[in-house]
Amino acid sequence: MAEAVVTEPYSAPAPAQLAARHGLRVAGERPALTDYVRRLWAYRHFILAFANAKNVATLTTARLGQLWHVLTPLTNAAVYYLIFGLILNTSRGIENFPAYLCAGIFIFGYTTQVVTGGTGAISGNLGMIRALQFPRASLPLSVTITQLQQLLAAMLVLMGIVLITGEPLTLNWLTLIPLMLLQTVFNAGLAMLVARAGSKITDLKQIMPFVLRTWLYGSGVFFNLAAATDGLPKWASTLLQLNPMSVFIELGREALLVNTPAPGLSVLNMWLVALVWAVVVGIGGFVYFWRGEKEYGRG
């Protein structure tokens, strides 16, 4: 009598095994950090073109068009000069208050616009994210480049204001180049931080104006921060002086103006603080954004 042959029931391989066997990868999988950097560099032309397109498209329907990128900070400067310089008299002890004020507004405005644009960099481009495959960090980086282009035009106006108000042209103006570089690295990291946060927290765009306004008042944009913090506890005064925006603003004023009120930190210490902020926020923001790469556009 023949023996019955017992066969094991067929077991289909797991999806992960099939994918590995045929060389398939998860759609939107986060690449290694070094690979991600290389992909971003490969997409540099796309980032620049997207930034240029955004810059051209902004305010195209307005009668004065791109001039509003300069007129907006100038209008803010006029309002702040009226309220703080004339009514509240925060100009006391500041030799060239109009130039002092404009430097603060233009430099702070650069970061403000990057943060505002970065907050919606992911949530405002979901259609493109879901339709195209590209490193998502391209979007907050393009926001930074767009605002940098606008800053360069605004800086020419600021230099004109500084000269008109009686300041001489000196070699110190050259320090604006490394300052803008450090602030741009800082802004790029900040844009990536808020871009990932904004993709998760839908109400962040409504909260951010209050955060930026608080930051504005704590950065010495329209008053001498060192004099204003004299009566504060040492820890509070030091915290305000280490504020990255107050450091960037004070370094800008040191570059453009001959006589400025003494800042709370020495110029060398301010450069060191600016460098640390740029490196920490720039790298930290990039890594934080990269870790969420596979989340963007899902759900």
Side-chain angles (χ1 to χ4, degrees):
M1 186 174 181
E3 294 183 0
V5 178
V6 179
T7 59
E8 293 290 332
Y10 173 74
S11 177
Q17 293 175 323
L18 281 173
R21 183 183 303 169
H22 296 284
L24 302 178
R25 302 177 66 181
V26 177
E29 181 184 28
R30 183 182 69 202
L33 187 58
T34 52
D35 291 339
Y36 194 64
V37 173
R38 281 194 290 268
R39 288 188 63 198
L40 270 176
W41 177 250
Y43 275 82
R44 63 191 182 277
H45 301 298
F46 165 76
I47 297 171
L48 187 59
F50 189 68
N52 290 336
K54 282 282 189 180
N55 197 20
V56 171
T58 304
L59 299 173
T60 51
T61 57
R63 188 178 296 272
L64 296 179
Q66 301 297 315
L67 280 176
W68 279 111
H69 293 309
V70 175
L71 291 176
T72 299
L74 285 176
T75 304
N76 286 333
V79 172
Y80 289 139
Y81 180 77
L82 174 64
I83 296 173
F84 292 94
L86 299 181
I87 298 175
L88 298 180
N89 199 26
T90 60
S91 60
R92 186 174 56 253
I94 302 175
E95 186 172 313
N96 187 354
F97 186 70
Y100 183 92
L101 176 64
C102 288
I105 290 173
F106 278 67
I107 294 172
F108 187 86
Y110 176 31
T111 296
T112 298
Q113 295 301 319
V114 169
V115 171
T116 302
T119 304
I122 298 298
S123 58
N125 292 287
L126 289 178
M128 185 169 66
I129 290 172
R130 290 167 180 166
L132 302 175
Q133 186 62 37
F134 62 94
R136 309 313 189 197
S138 304
L139 297 174
L141 286 176
S142 69
V143 169
T144 307
I145 293 173
T146 298
Q147 297 304 324
L148 176 61
Q149 292 172 338
Q150 295 174 11
L151 175 71
L152 294 176
M155 288 302 290
L156 294 176
V157 176
L158 175 59
M159 292 174 184
I161 293 171
V162 170
L163 291 173
I164 290 170
T165 54
E167 298 291 336
L169 178 63
T170 67
L171 289 177
N172 281 345
W173 287 33
L174 294 176
T175 60
L176 288 172
I177 297 173
L179 174 62
M180 291 169 61
L181 176 61
L182 290 177
Q183 190 179 0
T184 299
V185 173
F186 172 82
N187 286 352
L190 201 55
M192 287 185 274
L193 280 170
V194 297
R196 183 179 177 187
S199 70
K200 295 181 175 183
I201 307 170
T202 55
D203 291 333
L204 189 61
K205 288 189 74 171
Q206 281 66 45
I207 298 171
M208 195 54 68
F210 300 100
V211 175
L212 292 173
R213 196 172 305 143
T214 303
W215 200 5
L216 171 73
Y217 290 122
S219 299
V221 172
F222 29 72
F223 58 88
N224 179 6
L225 188 64
T229 57
D230 267 347
L232 293 180
K234 182 65 177 176
W235 65 268
S237 175
T238 302
L239 190 64
L240 287 171
Q241 289 165 7
L242 293 177
N243 168 10
M245 287 315 303
S246 65
V247 171
F248 289 133
I249 289 170
E250 288 298 336
L251 286 173
R253 287 166 174 164
E254 288 288 332
L256 292 168
L257 309 179
V258 173
N259 295 314
T260 59
L265 301 174
S266 68
V267 174
L268 177 59
N269 284 338
M270 285 194 294
W271 278 109
L272 291 175
V273 171
L275 177 62
V276 170
W277 274 117
V279 171
V280 170
V281 176
I283 295 177
F286 179 74
V287 172
Y288 175 71
F289 187 91
W290 161 76
R291 289 180 64 85
E293 178 75 6
K294 61 183 180 182
E295 304 169 3
Y296 308 131
R298 302 291 178 89

